[in-house]
Amino acid sequence: MLNKKILAAAVAVAFTGGASATVTIDAAGTTASPIGTLTVATESFTATDFVDGFLPITTTGGANATDITFDVGFSVGLSDTRFVRVDLVNGEFGSVPALSALNEAGVYDNTDFNAVLSSGGVGESFVIFEISDSALGIPLDAELTVATATINATTAGTVTAQYRLYADALLANSGAETTADGIAATLANTGAVNYIQFASGADGSFTDADEVVATVESGFLEFSTATSITGNSELASLALITVSDLVAANTIQPDGAAFGITNLVAAGADLTISGDFSAGQFTLNTVNTCAAGTAVPGTLNDAESELVFSTVTPTATAYYFCVNIADAAAVAGASAGFDEDDGDVAQRSNYTVTVEGVTSGVEYSDDAGSVVYDTTTIEIPFVTTFADYNQRIYIVNTSVEEAAYSFTFYTEDGIEVEGTDVATGTVAPNEVTLIRAVDLVEITGGNRVAAVLDVELADGEVSAATQIVNRNSGETDTIILN
């Protein structure tokens, strides 16, 4: 929450003479803890809620929802009378406003505070109060509140509120900033401060997403220590999904009631996560250890690109989105591609989570994490074991460290491929590693595949090339790959 002194600095208002004062919106009935600009969710009202072109913003559903709180900003002497003026832009007072002073221990005893409504109020965009204290006077840091049951807003723009303190009734009534001879007319002046704005109740963010790193050294069968679950390198949490965070702070409905997540998302809405689910187990869990006992499986679509969770309560519960590439029994429905016998090679992918809104056709999406490799990736579009060709692949390590490498192969329909022992290995520092295609891969049903080479080095520390020699003609074709 914003302290009233902090908020004064944040809005950076320009004061036209006199001491500073702060205009804020009261927080749920506690004048001592004001909040920033109040947001009325556009999803919470329709055209039928308007009366004579205004949307009534009331306190029916929330105490003090429309209160305006400010410091006096200039002391009022024991026998003095001063004039408080509050102006609205894009709004007007829909009911009689009242001005009160907070009893603050050590700051102000409000026992003898007196405020009389002098001008403006209902149906007007301003109100003026005559204030005094016959016993103590009013210190400059005393806190005042204008309370009204209804503010009528145009919704054409943000409703702003401006507080000014005058010593002269005529100047207060005119709303002048300066006198005829150019002297500041006010004792305190906040300038216009945002009061009520109209925006979507959804602020767009409801996940805490992570980048999980699969290591080339493990053949992408394990995650790095820094990104895996402690004690289990084959298990990681990709994101914490808290759908209730979708609602922006300090958001209300026109009746002053809080605008909550169930106003945006149905309690039983599906969570749909998109990405590559072709390998590994993907589940939702209620604990950050991704423990099997709390795993919630989803339903995978035929393309293995969407995992739908229909048995969760997204509006009430936070879930960890977990991936498991362990050699272990699969969670039913978690992933159709899981290899129970040999474990799974982690697949690089970005994941996105989507939840359905209450309004038909409305969806809210956010980042659900990603799986990356700790490598430089080099694409090799053509690898062949054709007998008339002798193909060599060169990997150049220009760093001073040994680096792990791994090949991944991609085939045409009807072709089967299996990497040999040299499909993974290490490249020595400041050396060139040569690998012949016939030693790298075994191809069944054809003699060509595509490959991706991942090397555990920064891009500037590794280069690669492929060279094909025609055994019949002796011609050589060399291609620099990166």
Side-chain angles (χ1 to χ4, degrees):
M1 288 192 176
L2 291 178
N3 174 288
K4 56 181 179 291
K5 306 299 190 296
I6 297 173
L7 185 59
V11 298
V13 293
F15 299 104
T16 58
S20 67
T22 304
V23 176
T24 69
I25 298 101
D26 198 3
T30 306
T31 54
S33 302
I35 59 177
T37 305
L38 202 61
T39 298
V40 178
T42 52
E43 295 91 346
S44 66
F45 60 86
T46 65
T48 60
D49 295 312
F50 286 75
V51 179
D52 296 330
F54 290 97
L55 177 68
I57 312 299
T58 75
T59 59
T60 305
N64 295 23
T66 57
D67 282 4
I68 303 170
T69 301
F70 46 90
D71 288 347
V72 175
F74 197 96
S75 62
V76 179
L78 182 62
S79 58
D80 292 336
T81 297
R82 296 290 182 258
F83 300 89
V84 166
R85 178 173 176 133
V86 174
D87 286 86
L88 305 178
V89 174
N90 290 321
E92 65 178 30
F93 293 97
S95 58
V96 179
L99 181 67
S100 62
L102 180 66
N103 189 339
E104 298 176 275
V107 177
Y108 180 55
D109 180 351
N110 66 357
T111 304
D112 296 293
F113 175 79
N114 186 51
V116 178
L117 198 160
S118 299
S119 184
V122 179
E124 300 286 353
S125 61
F126 76 99
V127 65
I128 299 174
F129 293 94
E130 183 178 339
I131 64 170
S132 62
D133 187 314
S134 58
L136 297 172
I138 306 171
L140 63 89
D141 52 353
E143 190 173 85
L144 305 183
T145 295
V146 175
T148 183
T150 305
I151 294 291
N152 293 327
T154 66
T155 74
T158 297
V159 180
T160 62
Q162 179 177 7
Y163 158 66
R164 286 173 286 185
L165 182 68
Y166 291 88
D168 182 86
L170 291 178
L171 287 174
N173 198 54
S174 71
E177 298 272 336
T178 58
T179 63
D181 52 6
I183 299 173
T186 59
L187 299 173
N189 186 348
T190 63
V193 177
N194 289 345
Y195 172 27
I196 301 173
Q197 65 182 4
F198 303 89
S200 171
D203 70 2
S205 177
F206 58 96
T207 69
D208 183 6
D210 292 316
E211 186 178 80
V212 174
V213 180
T215 63
V216 63
E217 186 177 13
S218 70
F220 311 116
L221 291 169
E222 296 179 2
F223 299 117
S224 69
T225 302
T227 61
S228 62
I229 300 297
T230 302
N232 190 343
S233 61
E234 297 166 316
L235 187 63
S237 172
L238 287 159
L240 173 61
I241 302 169
T242 310
V243 175
S244 59
D245 286 350
L246 183 61
V247 178
N250 306 329
T251 302
I252 65 169
Q253 302 175 66
D255 69 353
F259 183 85
I261 186 59
T262 55
N263 296 113
L264 283 177
V265 176
D270 293 344
L271 275 181
T272 300
I273 301 179
S274 59
D276 187 342
F277 300 98
S278 61
Q281 302 179 78
F282 294 84
T283 59
L284 292 182
N285 294 70
T286 54
V287 294
N288 62 1
T289 57
C290 295
T294 65
V296 179
T299 301
L300 193 67
N301 69 354
D302 292 340
E304 297 185 348
S305 60
E306 284 188 350
L307 197 57
V308 179
F309 297 89
S310 57
T311 60
V312 296
T313 53
T315 58
T317 306
Y319 294 97
Y320 292 89
F321 175 45
C322 300
V323 55
N324 184 0
I325 53 173
D327 179 12
V331 175
S335 172
F338 183 71
D339 185 340
E340 186 175 336
D341 296 326
D342 301 319
D344 277 342
V345 173
Q347 299 299 302
R348 282 178 289 200
S349 180
N350 295 318
Y351 295 91
T352 301
V353 59
T354 300
V355 63
E356 301 165 2
V358 170
T359 304
S360 177
V362 175
E363 295 181 337
Y364 304 101
S365 298
D366 206 356
D367 181 12
S370 59
V371 175
V372 300
Y373 291 171
D374 61 342
T375 63
T376 293
T377 299
I378 302 169
E379 296 180 352
I380 308 174
F382 184 74
V383 176
T384 182
T385 56
F386 182 50
D388 287 350
Y389 292 156
N390 179 20
Q391 183 178 19
R392 306 181 185 95
I393 297 168
Y394 298 91
I395 307 171
V396 183
N397 178 1
T398 58
S399 77
V400 296
E401 300 289 338
E402 182 180 78
Y405 73 84
S406 177
F407 286 86
T408 305
F409 302 101
Y410 300 88
T411 67
E412 303 167 63
D413 288 343
I415 306 296
E416 294 183 2
V417 63
E418 183 174 350
T420 68
D421 290 343
V422 298
T424 58
T426 58
V427 287
N430 291 310
E431 288 191 11
V432 177
T433 297
L434 183 155
I435 303 173
R436 297 175 65 231
V438 291
D439 297 330
L440 175 67
V441 63
E442 296 176 359
I443 306 173
T444 304
N447 52 35
R448 65 186 183 193
V449 295
V452 171
L453 168 64
D454 285 284
V455 185
E456 192 182 29
L457 289 170
D459 186 55
E461 296 176 330
V462 62
S463 60
T466 178
Q467 184 180 74
I468 297 177
V469 177
N470 187 316
R471 297 180 188 275
N472 297 322
S473 65
E475 293 180 352
T476 300
D477 184 15
T478 303
I479 300 174
I480 305 300
L481 296 171
N482 75 316

